[in-house]
């Protein structure tokens, strides 16, 4: 459940729709209100022109323009990554991360990619996480609360003041499919006016919550799905991701088959490289075999050790490279190695740390967010 709030976010679409319908206000005013709030974040409700008169008292009594606030912003030294620390209405903090890519520097089919500078925003869907993945410090803090759909959307609003966001990835703190209703609502808001993101530009990452995977495909078709597989066999998966016990690998792969058949989209497979755990040649072959009937892109993620929190070590570059060669060369699977970004601000995978700039603790938490960036 989302934490109880005194007045909701204007970006909580179901609440706003319900309240408007109660007093017969056209829902067509909603995108107009959002657009005004985005352009004028410090506005008062009375500033918004041309709303039906019944809208003003309703907005005053039930909603806030932004229910969260941007507490601080930390830039990486290279200016490529920006970490946003956002304070929710209940006093908890979450992080969102902006990553900037210059596609003109890349090559695609021998030509520079179109598009130029683009930004991807990684958003959080929960405070904490109950999945307990051992390589992720978020897992060690347990689950605190779900974000409302408005709080998820507000991360995009805060980020849009700093950068033009073209892609959104649900790879921040939390398991998005464990906060399913808010996730779907937030995505619907992002797809509509005034945000108008394309579903192809939104990626939802999951550890493999089987029952929700195909529901998501039906509820929001066209999204990208990223699956944190991290091991080619169930026992290693359970060792590094205890929640995987509830999601047997065989059943997960069956669900992904159905998902791919229905969606006709490739699936992104995330694989964190842990020295001596899942990075041996036999694991590469097992993974290749497991994925042989899928259209996938495998993303190998160099592990970022998080202080002394972790029992794991990073795989050597040679091992990562060998793993990639086997998947590509022997099993013909498109395989990339994730570029590390933002390590100097703890904004890289598994390193996102909710730290106030003065390093004081927040509500006694040392929140470390996994960023499953795919
Ligand atoms: S890796 Fe993702 S699902 Fe696992 S504990 Fe961390 S935030 Fe939760």
């Amino acid at each position: 459940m989302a934490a109880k709030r005194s007045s909701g976010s204007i970006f909580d679409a179901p609440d706003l729709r319900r309240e408007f319908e109660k007093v017969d206000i056209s829902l067509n005013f909603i995108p107009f209100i959002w657009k005004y709030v985005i352009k004028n974040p410090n506005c008062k409700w009375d500033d918004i022109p041309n709303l039906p008169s019944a809208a003003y008292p309703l907005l005053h009594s039930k909603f806030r323009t932004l229910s969260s606030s941007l507490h601080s912003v930390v830039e990486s030294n290279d200016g490529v990554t920006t970490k946003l620390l956002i304070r929710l209405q209940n006093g908890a903090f979450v992080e969102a991360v902006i990553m900037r890519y210059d596609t003109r520097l890349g090559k695609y089919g021998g030509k520079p990619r179109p598009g130029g500078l683009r930004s991807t925003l990684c958003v959080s869907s929960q405070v904490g996480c109950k999945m307990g993945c051992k390589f992720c410090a978020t897992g060690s803090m347990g689950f605190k609360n779900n974000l409302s759909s408005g709080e998820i959307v507000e991360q995009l609003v805060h980020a849009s003041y700093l950068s033009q966001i073209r892609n959104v990835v649900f790879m921040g703190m939390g398991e998005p499919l464990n906060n399913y209703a808010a996730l779907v609502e937030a995505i619907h808001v992002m797809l509509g006016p005034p945000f108008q993101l394309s579903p192809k530009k939104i990626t939802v990452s999951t550890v493999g919550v089987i029952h929700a995977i195909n529901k998501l495909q039906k509820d929001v078709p066209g999204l990208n799905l990223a699956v944190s597989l991290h091991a080619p066999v169930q026992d290693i998966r359970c060792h590094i991701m205890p929640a995987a016990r509830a999601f047997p690998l065989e059943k997960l792969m069956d669900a992904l088959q159905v998902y791919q058949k229905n969606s006709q989209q490739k699936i992104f497979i995330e694989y964190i490289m842990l020295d001596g755990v899942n990075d041996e040649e036999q694991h590469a072959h097992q993974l290749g075999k497991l994925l042989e009937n899928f259209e996938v892109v495998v993303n190998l993620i160099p592990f970022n050790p998080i202080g002394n929190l972790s029992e794991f070590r990073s795989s050597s570059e040679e091992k990562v490279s060998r793993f990639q060669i086997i998947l590509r060369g022997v099993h013909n699977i498109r395989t990339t190695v994730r570029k590390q970004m933002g390590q100097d601000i703890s904004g890289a995978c598994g390193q996102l740390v909710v730290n106030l700039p003065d390093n004081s603790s927040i509500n006694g938490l040392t929140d470390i967010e996994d960023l499953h960036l795919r």
Side-chain angles (χ1 to χ4, degrees):
M1 293 288 290
K4 196 162 170 47
R5 296 160 179 87
S6 50
S7 51
S9 163
I10 194 70
F11 295 98
D12 267 321
D15 290 355
L16 186 56
R17 278 199 298 267
R18 194 167 42 247
E19 294 299 333
F20 271 25
E21 277 166 355
K22 271 193 218 163
V23 291
D24 265 343
I25 298 173
S26 165
L27 302 185
N28 293 336
F29 286 105
I30 292 176
F32 172 73
I33 294 171
W34 286 341
K35 192 171 178 184
Y36 194 93
V37 169
I38 292 166
K39 277 197 170 162
N40 308 277
N42 298 317
C43 69
K44 305 273 181 286
W45 291 129
D46 294 335
D47 298 340
I48 305 180
N50 304 323
L51 295 180
S53 56
Y56 294 100
L58 189 154
L59 291 172
H60 274 292
S61 63
K62 306 263 182 185
F63 295 98
R64 301 174 68 163
T65 47
L66 286 172
S67 67
S68 61
S69 56
L70 185 56
H71 181 278
S72 54
V73 173
V74 186
E75 296 277 350
S76 63
N77 290 337
D78 58 10
V80 168
T81 308
T82 305
K83 189 162 73 165
L84 287 67
L85 182 60
I86 294 167
R87 188 178 196 278
L88 306 178
Q89 198 178 156
N90 69 358
F93 287 77
V94 290
E95 289 186 334
V97 177
I98 300 170
M99 293 150 291
R100 299 175 185 83
Y101 303 86
D102 190 345
T103 54
R104 291 163 300 188
L105 303 175
K107 297 277 183 190
Y108 188 70
K111 297 183 191 137
R113 283 181 182 158
L117 208 58
R118 64 188 168 91
S119 293
T120 293
L121 177 68
C122 173
V123 295
S124 294
S125 54
Q126 300 180 308
V127 181
C129 182
K130 65 177 174 194
M131 301 314 248
C133 304
K134 288 191 190 161
F135 52 83
C136 165
T138 300
S140 69
M141 67 178 275
F143 170 71
K144 304 297 172 188
N145 64 266
N146 280 329
L147 268 63
S148 71
S149 62
E151 287 171 332
I152 295 173
V153 175
E154 285 187 19
Q155 293 171 67
L156 174 59
V157 175
H158 289 300
S160 64
Y161 297 127
L162 304 173
S163 192
Q164 197 180 357
I165 305 297
R166 255 185 56 185
N167 306 291
V168 171
V169 294
F170 286 82
M171 298 176 181
M173 183 187 285
E175 162 56 61
L177 297 188
N178 279 355
N179 187 12
Y180 188 83
L183 168 79
V184 169
E185 272 303 338
I187 293 172
H188 280 307
V189 171
M190 290 175 184
L191 296 178
F195 299 98
Q196 304 278 29
L197 290 182
S198 155
K200 286 189 203 129
K201 304 288 181 190
I202 298 179
T203 302
V204 173
S205 167
T206 176
V207 297
V209 181
I210 293 170
H211 58 270
I213 287 176
N214 279 297
K215 187 162 165 44
L216 182 69
Q217 197 273 323
K218 287 185 195 123
D219 288 342
V220 207
L223 298 175
N224 295 307
L225 179 72
V227 178
S228 295
L229 206 56
H230 300 321
V233 291
Q234 179 70 356
D235 59 344
I236 303 179
R237 232 171 101 75
C238 290
H239 170 58
I240 61 180
M241 309 164 73
R245 280 188 205 105
F247 310 113
L249 189 56
E250 203 179 321
K251 286 198 174 145
L252 173 59
M253 300 317 283
D254 288 347
L256 294 181
Q257 280 286 6
V258 175
Y259 175 91
Q260 188 142 71
K261 188 164 170 273
N262 292 339
S263 70
Q264 295 293 308
Q265 284 178 259
K266 64 176 177 281
I267 296 170
F268 295 89
I269 300 292
E270 299 302 297
Y271 197 99
I272 194 158
M273 298 295 289
L274 304 172
D275 185 42
V277 177
N278 62 356
D279 66 345
E280 307 294 347
E281 292 190 10
Q282 66 180 52
H283 300 132
H285 287 294
Q286 285 170 324
L287 185 62
K289 197 95 187 97
L290 187 70
L291 298 174
E292 66 184 352
N293 295 321
F294 287 89
E295 189 71 31
V296 292
V297 177
V298 174
N299 196 3
L300 301 178
I301 308 167
F303 172 60
N304 298 303
I306 308 154
N308 55 7
L309 252 171
S310 182
E311 65 187 80
F312 302 116
R313 292 187 313 273
S314 322
S315 304
S316 65
E317 276 185 30
E318 294 70 36
K319 265 185 156 178
V320 175
S321 170
R322 181 78 198 131
F323 207 92
Q324 184 182 27
I325 287 168
I326 292 172
L327 286 176
R328 275 183 174 173
V330 180
H331 299 278
N332 198 24
I333 290 174
R334 199 170 144 206
T335 308
T336 59
V337 178
R338 179 175 301 161
K339 186 170 175 276
Q340 296 288 64
M341 299 174 84
Q343 282 174 294
D344 58 311
I345 59 164
S346 297
C349 181
Q351 283 194 328
L352 262 159
V353 181
V354 176
N355 272 338
L356 293 170
D358 64 2
N359 286 330
S360 59
S361 71
I362 302 162
N363 294 342
L365 302 176
T366 322
D367 299 5
I368 301 178
E369 174 181 345
D370 169 63
L371 189 64
H372 326 240
L373 302 176
R374 278 143 247 240

